[in-house]
Amino acid sequence: MKIALLTIWHEHNFGAYLQTYATIRALREMGHEVSLIDYRLNDSSRHPGLKERLQTAITQLSPEARMFEHSWKRFPRTKYYRSLSELREDPPKADLYLVGSDQVWNPNITRYKAATFFLPFGDERIARASYASSLGSDVWTGNEKLTTLAATQLPKFKAISCREQEGANALSTLFHQEVHWVLDPSLLHADYHEFTGDLTLSDTLAYYELYPIAPLRQLAMEVARQMNLTYKSASERTKLMGKIPWRRTSISSWIRTIAQSQFVVTHSFHGVALSVLYQRPFMVVYPKADRRSTRITGLLQALGLSSRFFSSYEEALASHIWEKEIDYKQVGQKLESLRYTSLEFLHSLQS
């Protein structure tokens, strides 16, 4: 089957890259021909000023940008679409349009391009489905116009799935559709040996942040000191003139740093996913009192790992959770069960 995949991919973000790669890999392993729809959130209709254009030009020449450009070459792509209008005028040729994973149904992320991720383009006879599409929250946050569009489009989908149980419940209740709960695609595979090569456990504590958080970094350093481990950032990044992104850890190094560590400190969903995948002890600290943490807490609850989540730095430090082992035999059994049902969902799309 020929599948055209629509997701959030053209971002300097390791999680966005990994979920895209993992989805394509899973579908290819099932024997499908997959093309990533070349549609990008970071296209802008604004007319930036000279300073912004100069910063963008410098950023595009950076080692970080070149690293991502090289990594994106792994993705088989359609022609480049700048807008929903272009997709409607010349839609991709496919047997199935598939949207997901990542926060493709979070309008706070997709903004003025949110409508596109409900697949309102192409011949009506082409099947449509979603895999692990996320709201980024436990509630629907679309405005009236997007809600009306979703209510029109979702009944046309052959199958719908969401990355979070709370998100699946919210979608099912609001739009009166059957919505399955499935794993993030990064957890569909046993490992990423093609990125890491052979691994050897090291005496390091891996710290992974999505953006700079001084208290969380200090917590990680303190835990490393107490565990007598070497602190190592899995997301080392330098900037030019203090603002312009310049150099960054590679995707391979990111995965390897987490996979080889003795302990992981993170606030990232994909930091958690890699920790679980490589059976690394970890702790998650997410101090913000908002609903976005459900993408982490839901996965931890399903795997019996809720005790690894903390809502404050003080609570995390006082817990001494690094002294408590994880029964990865039990976790592995739960993960394998969830992986089986998630892959079954993907297999059902070809029937």
Side-chain angles (χ1 to χ4, degrees):
M1 184 163 64
K2 189 173 182 178
I3 299 175
L5 172 66
L6 179 64
T7 190
I8 300 170
W9 68 279
H10 199 268
E11 306 289 329
H12 289 189
N13 180 286
F14 291 155
Y17 179 87
L18 185 63
Q19 65 86 17
T20 303
Y21 173 83
T23 304
I24 293 172
R25 176 181 160 186
L27 294 170
R28 281 179 159 179
E29 288 175 354
M30 292 178 183
H32 302 303
E33 180 185 346
V34 187
S35 291
L36 179 64
I37 298 176
D38 193 348
Y39 184 76
R40 310 173 187 183
L41 284 188
N42 50 17
D43 287 335
S44 176
S45 59
R46 295 185 304 106
H47 299 287
L50 178 60
K51 182 179 178 181
E52 186 176 347
R53 292 201 304 271
L54 182 60
Q55 287 183 347
T56 300
I58 295 172
T59 300
Q60 289 173 345
L61 295 173
S62 70
E64 176 179 319
R66 294 200 302 270
M67 181 268 290
F68 274 102
E69 287 290 345
H70 176 75
S71 299
W72 290 331
K73 289 180 180 178
R74 289 175 178 263
F75 300 155
R77 287 181 247 167
T78 66
K79 62 175 284 189
Y80 181 21
Y81 295 96
R82 290 184 177 273
S83 66
L84 177 55
S85 295
E86 291 186 5
L87 276 162
R88 284 171 167 164
E89 289 169 6
D90 184 22
K93 304 296 188 294
D95 302 306
L96 172 71
Y97 291 152
L98 182 67
V99 62
S101 147
D102 219 337
Q103 299 182 56
V104 292
W105 288 345
N106 180 356
N108 295 316
I109 298 286
T110 54
R111 297 185 182 276
Y112 70 97
K113 291 194 170 185
T116 308
F117 291 90
F118 289 91
L119 308 177
F121 56 84
D123 194 308
E124 291 290 324
R125 292 170 293 183
I126 296 174
R128 288 160 171 77
S130 78
Y131 181 78
S133 298
S134 173
L135 307 181
S137 173
D138 59 351
V139 294
W140 169 255
T141 57
N143 60 25
E144 184 177 353
K145 184 177 180 180
L146 187 63
T147 301
T148 299
L149 174 71
T152 301
Q153 285 298 116
L154 289 179
K156 301 175 184 178
F157 279 46
K158 181 177 185 178
I160 305 170
S161 64
C162 186
R163 190 179 66 180
E164 293 88 23
Q165 182 68 66
E166 295 88 347
N169 293 340
L171 287 169
S172 180
T173 300
L174 181 60
F175 297 111
H176 309 291
Q177 300 295 313
E178 182 180 14
V179 182
H180 300 265
W181 173 44
V182 295
L183 284 175
D184 182 90
S186 63
L187 291 165
L188 293 178
H189 309 288
D191 59 51
Y192 293 94
H193 187 269
E194 63 270 37
F195 286 100
T196 66
D198 294 337
L199 296 168
T200 303
L201 203 61
S202 61
D203 291 329
T204 57
L205 178 145
Y207 171 65
Y208 178 48
E209 62 181 12
L210 294 174
Y211 45 84
I213 309 175
L216 185 58
R217 191 180 310 117
Q218 290 165 4
L219 171 66
M221 289 179 176
E222 175 58 22
V223 174
R225 186 190 68 79
Q226 293 198 28
M227 296 184 72
N228 197 27
L229 296 174
T230 300
Y231 167 91
K232 187 173 183 180
S233 173
S235 52
E236 199 64 46
R237 195 175 192 181
T238 59
K239 294 188 176 183
L240 192 66
M241 296 181 288
K243 293 183 179 180
I244 303 173
W246 188 248
R247 191 179 299 277
R248 192 174 189 181
T249 302
S250 70
I251 293 166
S252 295
S253 180
W254 167 59
I255 299 174
R256 198 162 48 244
T257 297
I258 293 174
Q260 294 185 143
S261 68
Q262 297 278 1
F263 196 79
V264 180
V265 177
T266 189
H267 68 133
S268 153
F269 175 88
H270 286 103
V272 172
L274 287 175
S275 299
V276 169
L277 199 65
Y278 286 97
Q279 301 190 355
R280 299 292 84 222
F282 66 94
M283 66 192 303
V284 191
V285 188
Y286 204 106
K288 289 185 178 180
D290 61 31
R291 288 168 149 152
R292 291 176 294 176
S293 64
T294 57
R295 61 183 181 266
I296 298 175
T297 56
L299 176 64
L300 294 179
Q301 183 177 10
L303 297 176
L305 293 170
S306 295
S307 64
R308 315 303 289 197
F309 182 93
F310 301 95
S311 56
S312 77
Y313 306 116
E314 296 77 15
E315 178 191 9
L317 189 60
S319 72
H320 284 253
I321 194 69
W322 53 90
E323 296 175 358
K324 301 172 185 176
E325 293 185 2
I326 295 176
D327 184 350
Y328 266 114
K329 182 177 180 180
Q330 278 194 358
V331 173
Q333 290 172 347
K334 292 176 181 177
L335 178 60
E336 192 56 40
S337 176
L338 292 170
R339 184 179 288 153
Y340 175 81
T341 57
S342 299
L343 289 171
E344 280 296 295
F345 176 87
L346 283 176
H347 279 296
S348 73
L349 300 181
Q350 60 191 338
S351 60

